[in-house]
Amino acid sequence: MNPGAPETGLAEPHLAEILKTVSLDVEYVRAAGNHLFRLDDNGREVPVLDFVGGFGSVLLGHNDPEIVAYARKLLDKQLPIHAQFSRASHADRLAAALNEILRREHGDDERYFAIFANSGAEAVEAAVKHAELDRTLRVAALTDGIAANVEAARALVRAGRAVVADGAFDRAGVRERPQDPEAGFDALVAGIERHNAHRLSAPPLFLAPEGAFHGKLMGSVQLTHNEAFRAPFRSLAAQARFIPLDQPEAIRKTVDAERAVLYDVVVVDGSVTVVDRDFPVFCAFVLEPIQGEGGIHEVPPEFAREVRRTCDAIGCPVIVDEIQSGMGRTGSFLAAPAAGLRGDYYTLAKSLGGGVAKTSVALIRESHYHKEFELVHSSTFAKDGFSSLIALKVLELLEADGGALYRRAGELGRGLLAMLEAVRAEFPDVIKDVRGRGLMLGVEFHDRSDAEAPAVRDLARSGFLGYAVAGYLLREHAVRLFPTGSAVNTLRLEPSVRLTDDGIDQLRTALRGVCSVLRAEDGQRFLGGGPATS
């Protein structure tokens, strides 16, 4: 090491090595519109067409001129950023603007209260915490009711007006049955309390679809289906039950399989009997209208209907994660209504900050909201004036001209999807599927674990084929794409509304090039040892 020189290689060095292996270790020096810029060996800027889009964070493009100018204005006027625990009119205006949009999307006037955060995963965790507070309060009401029923029955037994029914002892698991009525009642209550205490000690469960991704924090990672992300931390948080998207009937079956009850007592015609009270096992059903990390899969309408029907039946709230799909990316502010899905909670992030601010929000339906949550949950950097005002500016741009940017996202998405379908038709042996909506699309490549070319075969078997495809596209065509972490053969496309027809043509050429190389199993060219094929 050079004395006096700063040490390098300390920021996630293993990831840096992986990026280098697949030619993705590029440093960018500037960003504008739908392009990032790197420097060549002569120090000249080279534009790279960006279809990663900050993993969905820059719907309006990198460094949107209006947002940047507005950000400068806010900073120049020395807007307070750290003024926690004070009146936050900026955040209240943002919440009101979001509610106005939600009223339009839902067609009704029910309000949603806002809990602000910094990242998508944090917004999910806030929503989950609130849902668990709701469940805890329902459990408390249930146990309070049981306690009141026990005391009422005890009074009747003491007064000689009631006795424990024979079958009640069996139900409560009581083997020793005292002859004295009061002692018998006490034994019955002890059995009930043992059963209930065991049930009450169990953590809540969650429901989520297979392929789900909701972040990698301690709680949100347990809602993420990819076991590689989830399993090492299984003991740290409540567990989820994952449902296949093509099996809506499995939702009810899963709920029935996990059904649990608390025991209660009732007195009928002088007999004390034991009855079941349904226990709220599930905290929430958490799902994305279009799965991002899971490989760009839309929630089918039949699945969405069964989610709502089952959750309404058992009193389980529905948390809709619109962190990637929301903010107009699919051609409307929310993606959920297209599937007929109504959320009791919504989480928004990524493009909410306009590519400049780091902000997110959990929106909670008024009929589910508990004001106590505001005193037990907080976040240092949430709800600040800067990010709130930037988010308001984003909404202003999205809603301008009757939602012109929503229409633009929809039109671009249809054009992009048509191009992808054409490339797939030309290379059906290479591209397995294209799917998605608006500017949230996926291109799935066939597995090539049995390829004759050793380089291609080894990459496929190690799970790095998608990353190598991304490296080829970047190296040979200056197009930036990544596979999804949970569906490694699927490239995820989340460009901005600043994408042009020329950009779509550039991607077409790039995809045809990589498909030609993979069809030919030209491992040398694929890994950078020969000229590109167009």
Side-chain angles (χ1 to χ4, degrees), residues 213 216 221-222 224-234 485-486 488:
F213 180 86
K216 295 179 181 177
V221 75
Q222 294 305 328
T224 292
H225 183 235
N226 187 332
E227 193 166 359
F229 298 153
R230 177 169 43 89
F233 314 104
R234 190 187 306 276
S486 300
V488 294

Side-chain angles (χ1 to χ4, degrees), residues 102 106 112 320 322 334 336 341-343 345-348 361-363:
L102 262 59
H106 292 146
Y112 282 73
V320 178
E322 291 266 14
L334 297 175
L341 183 63
R342 170 71 178 261
Y345 298 67
Y346 291 99
T347 56
L348 295 167
V361 66
L363 296 166

Side-chain angles (χ1 to χ4, degrees), residues 249-260:
E249 70 281 0
I251 300 172
R252 188 74 226 192
K253 290 179 182 177
T254 301
V255 167
D256 290 343
E258 299 288 352
R259 181 176 181 265

Side-chain angles (χ1 to χ4, degrees), residues 13-284:
H14 179 57
L15 179 59
E17 285 299 316
I18 292 173
L19 293 176
K20 184 177 181 180
T21 300
V22 289
S23 302
L24 292 174
D25 60 329
V26 174
E27 183 168 0
Y28 298 99
V29 298
R30 190 167 68 87
N34 212 56
H35 286 84
L36 291 164
F37 297 83
R38 64 176 180 84
L39 298 180
D40 65 15
D41 293 339
N42 297 313
R44 293 181 299 234
E45 282 190 345
V46 177
V48 174
L49 184 61
D50 184 22
F51 281 88
V52 177
F55 294 129
S57 297
V58 287
L59 178 66
L60 299 178
H62 293 282
N63 290 316
D64 177 83
E66 287 193 60
I67 293 176
V68 169
Y70 187 57
R72 285 199 182 104
K73 179 181 176 182
L74 294 177
L75 294 175
D76 285 344
K77 67 189 291 187
Q78 297 184 327
L79 176 82
I81 295 177
H82 298 285
Q84 299 90 339
F85 220 64
S86 62
R87 184 166 173 248
S89 61
H90 306 117
D92 201 46
R93 287 166 53 199
L94 176 56
L98 288 166
N99 266 273
E100 186 175 348
I101 295 172
L102 262 59
R103 279 193 288 270
R104 182 189 67 219
E105 299 272 311
H106 292 146
D108 64 45
D109 291 331
E110 184 170 5
R111 299 184 299 176
Y112 282 73
F113 293 106
I115 301 294
F116 289 97
N118 307 288
S119 68
E122 189 184 338
V124 169
E125 299 240 344
V128 165
K129 279 181 65 178
H130 185 280
E132 176 59 7
L133 175 63
D134 176 77
R135 193 188 75 92
T136 299
L137 292 173
R138 286 188 287 129
V139 169
L142 178 60
T143 55
D144 286 350
I146 292 172
N149 291 339
V150 166
E151 290 309 309
R154 188 189 304 277
L156 292 173
V157 171
R158 286 175 175 170
R161 297 170 55 193
V163 295
V164 176
D166 289 338
F169 290 109
D170 292 332
R171 188 67 195 285
V174 176
R175 294 180 181 179
E176 300 293 332
R177 307 177 185 185
Q179 294 300 312
D180 177 73
E182 290 190 39
F185 182 80
D186 288 342
L188 177 72
V189 171
I192 289 172
E193 288 177 344
R194 280 194 299 272
H195 169 88
N196 289 354
H198 176 71
R199 179 63 262 176
L200 290 165
S201 68
L205 296 177
F206 292 88
L207 292 161
E210 291 184 356
F213 180 86
H214 300 286
K216 295 179 181 177
L217 298 181
M218 189 175 77
S220 57
V221 75
Q222 294 305 328
L223 306 172
T224 292
H225 183 235
N226 187 332
E227 193 166 359
F229 298 153
R230 177 169 43 89
F233 314 104
R234 190 187 306 276
S235 63
L236 290 178
Q239 305 301 302
R241 300 291 182 260
F242 294 100
I243 316 293
L245 280 174
D246 61 352
Q247 298 178 30
E249 70 281 0
I251 300 172
R252 188 74 226 192
K253 290 179 182 177
T254 301
V255 167
D256 290 343
E258 299 288 352
R259 181 176 181 265
V261 298
L262 297 184
Y263 288 162
D264 194 1
V265 296
V266 296
V267 179
V268 179
D269 296 330
S271 292
V272 180
T273 60
V274 176
V275 295
D276 293 345
R277 303 297 184 198
D278 280 330
F279 181 76
V281 173
F282 291 99
C283 177

